[in-house]
């Protein structure tokens, strides 16, 4: 195990990687299982019901997640997001939210979910201290929704989840829509029409080549510029400034004042230069990129008795070595042959 910094040694806060990018936020995947089988993430033909996901004792316990989160916060991280798999499948998730919400220094605590279980959990999550919710919703069309959930979900369940989130006091919501050419790109205007003026922010995400099993094809990516032009032709848009450095979505306001939308263009306009995000998998590995080949184990040292300072030192040391910029190098790296990459549901997007 590496040693904690010597007393008096100067530790840069927050740590910066080899490209001078600070460590600023952490996504925590709490489970690798999901009640959906979205073809762009966990295709049903690759993940049968008897697929071997992590066993219970392989997953970090809540107290372990809390300790690692505290180590990240001690290094300057201020934003935490819970994700998965489907995070609401993790039993007693509000209890984890409660633990994370009381860490001094956490300025933002959010959750990304497919929304189906929100009618059951939204109020408890709010009560536990969750600040913000992002709900994934790719289409309003019932048949397309069934296809995009791998035959496991109904759009009405997600709409009920959105209503439950509103009742619990989460506002504004972010609604994530992954756009696939020939699948749901013709339904984008319906989504915009439905949520314009609601206060919620729909964000269109370019289909990414995460992992190795989602059959990604570049032709299925709808570049954000094309989508934005289609939307703006119906409802004129005006560009907005980012809320903060490193914000991944480009923001636009409706010129008529009916709110805003966003575009996450990781394929057509990569934003690696500002990427300050670390990801923790459910089994305690630190990933420094969504497209990383492997993670850096934190569970081993944690279970072997590492102190808080030692954990923080391990994380900082790993961050300082970071050189990832996959999306900027996509063409070159893909041309090099088959790539090993972590799957999306392991690191949570
Ligand atoms: N299960 C939750 C959900 O779907 O919201 C949380 C985990 S999911 C991996 C997080 C986000 O990643 C979702 O908004 C999902 O749409 C997005 N996502 C998954 N696979 C993707 C892909 N290949 N390209 C772009 N976004 C993807
Ligand atoms: Fe599950 Fe979310 Fe992946 Fe869909 S995107 S399969 S809901 S983890
Ligand atoms: Fe960050 Fe990796 Fe995505 Fe680039 S490709 S923005 S480094 S997660």
């Amino acid at each position: 195990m590496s040693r904690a910094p010597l007393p008096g040694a100067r530790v840069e806060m927050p740590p910066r990687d080899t490209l001078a990018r600070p460590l600023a936020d952490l996504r925590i995947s709490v489970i690798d299982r999901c009640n959906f089988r979205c073809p762009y993430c966990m295709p049903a033909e690759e993940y049968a019901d008897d697929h071997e996901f992590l066993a219970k004792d392989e997953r970090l316990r809540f107290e372990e997640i809390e300790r690692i989160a505290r180590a990240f916060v001690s290094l300057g991280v201020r934003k935490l997001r819970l994700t998965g798999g489907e995070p609401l499948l993790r039993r007693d998730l509000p209890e984890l939210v409660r633990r994370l919400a009381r860490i001094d220094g956490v300025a933002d605590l959010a959750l990304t979910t497919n929304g189906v279980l929100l009618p059951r959990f939204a109020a408890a999550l709010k009560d536990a201290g969750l600040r913000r919710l992002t709900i994934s919703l790719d289409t309003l069309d019932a048949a397309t929704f069934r296809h995009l959930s791998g035959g496991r979900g109904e759009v009405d369940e997600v709409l009920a989840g959105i209503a439950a989130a509103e009742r619990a006091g989460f506002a504004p919501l972010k609604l994530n829509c992954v756009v696939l050419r020939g699948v749901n790109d013709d339904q984008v205007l319906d989504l915009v029409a439905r949520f314009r003026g609601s206060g919620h922010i729909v964000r269109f995400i370019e289909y990414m080549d995460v992992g190795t099993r989602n059959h990604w094809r570049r032709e299925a990516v709808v570049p954000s510029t094309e989508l934005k032009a289609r939307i703006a032709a119906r409802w004129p848009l005006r560009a907005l400034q980012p809320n903060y450095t490193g914000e991944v979505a480009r923001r636009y306001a409706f010129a008529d004042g009916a709110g805003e939308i966003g575009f996450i263009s990781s394929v057509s306009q990569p934003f690696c230069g500002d990427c300050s995000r670390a990801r923790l998998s459910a089994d305690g590995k630190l990933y420094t990129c969504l497209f990383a080949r492997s993670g850096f184990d934190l569970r081993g040292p944690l279970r072997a008795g590492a102190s808080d300072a030692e954990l923080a030192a391990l994380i900082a040391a790993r961050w300082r070595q970071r050189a990832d910029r996959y999306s900027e190098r996509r063409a070159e790296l893909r041309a090099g042959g088959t790539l090993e990459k972590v799957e999306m549901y392991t690191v949570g997007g």
Side-chain angles (χ1 to χ4, degrees), residues 164-178:
E166 289 169 339
R167 277 196 305 279
F170 289 104
L173 297 169
K174 285 190 179 145
L175 303 173
N176 278 358
C177 169
V178 179

Side-chain angles (χ1 to χ4, degrees), residues 120-165:
R120 215 184 300 166
F121 292 114
L125 291 167
K126 183 74 181 170
D127 181 58
L130 188 72
R131 302 269 182 97
R132 296 189 301 119
L133 261 180
T134 299
I135 302 175
S136 300
L137 176 61
D138 298 331
T139 175
L140 291 172
D141 177 74
T144 311
F145 190 91
R146 261 175 233 131
H147 169 64
L148 284 175
S149 62
R152 308 277 178 116
E154 295 292 332
V155 67
D156 286 343
E157 296 176 297
V158 181
L159 295 175
I162 291 173

Side-chain angles (χ1 to χ4, degrees), residues 47-258:
Y47 296 94
D49 284 332
D50 61 355
H51 181 82
E52 263 191 46
F53 291 99
L54 292 173
K56 193 169 172 221
D57 63 338
E58 291 176 298
R59 293 198 301 245
L60 294 179
R61 297 186 290 273
F62 286 174
E63 57 270 28
E64 294 176 324
I65 294 177
E66 180 184 346
R67 277 207 54 211
I68 293 180
R70 282 184 185 276
F72 274 94
V73 172
S74 78
L75 292 169
V77 163
R78 296 289 170 260
K79 297 172 68 174
L80 302 178
R81 175 174 294 275
L82 298 175
T83 173
E86 174 44 47
L88 295 179
L89 289 180
R90 181 81 190 245
R91 187 179 298 176
D92 295 332
L93 192 74
E95 166 57 20
L96 177 64
V97 169
R98 199 174 299 284
R99 283 170 176 267
L100 299 178
R102 68 183 178 215
I103 299 177
D104 267 348
V106 171
D108 191 17
L109 180 56
L111 172 85
T112 306
T113 170
N114 63 31
V116 166
L117 294 170
L118 280 174
R120 215 184 300 166
F121 292 114
L125 291 167
K126 183 74 181 170
D127 181 58
L130 188 72
R131 302 269 182 97
R132 296 189 301 119
L133 261 180
T134 299
I135 302 175
S136 300
L137 176 61
D138 298 331
T139 175
L140 291 172
D141 177 74
T144 311
F145 190 91
R146 261 175 233 131
H147 169 64
L148 284 175
S149 62
R152 308 277 178 116
E154 295 292 332
V155 67
D156 286 343
E157 296 176 297
V158 181
L159 295 175
I162 291 173
E166 289 169 339
R167 277 196 305 279
F170 289 104
L173 297 169
K174 285 190 179 145
L175 303 173
N176 278 358
C177 169
V178 179
V179 184
L180 275 72
R181 194 180 297 284
V183 178
N184 63 341
D185 61 327
D186 59 336
Q187 294 152 27
V188 156
L189 294 183
D190 294 342
L191 257 185
V192 177
R194 168 82 179 234
F195 291 104
R196 246 173 60 83
S198 69
H200 304 322
I201 302 169
V202 179
R203 303 174 335 150
F204 296 102
I205 306 178
E206 288 178 351
Y207 173 33
M208 291 185 279
D209 53 336
V210 276
T212 54
R213 294 169 154 194
N214 74 351
H215 314 298
W216 187 79
R217 294 171 304 118
R218 198 171 180 113
E219 307 76 69
V221 178
V222 184
S224 295
T225 43
E226 178 185 327
L227 217 51
K228 197 194 99 202
R230 270 197 242 163
I231 297 169
R234 174 99 171 261
W235 298 288
L237 296 170
R238 164 173 68 77
L240 293 172
Q241 289 302 313
N243 285 314
Y244 52 88
T245 319
E247 185 170 36
V248 296
R250 293 196 182 200
R251 306 167 57 216
Y252 291 86
F254 293 108
D256 64 2

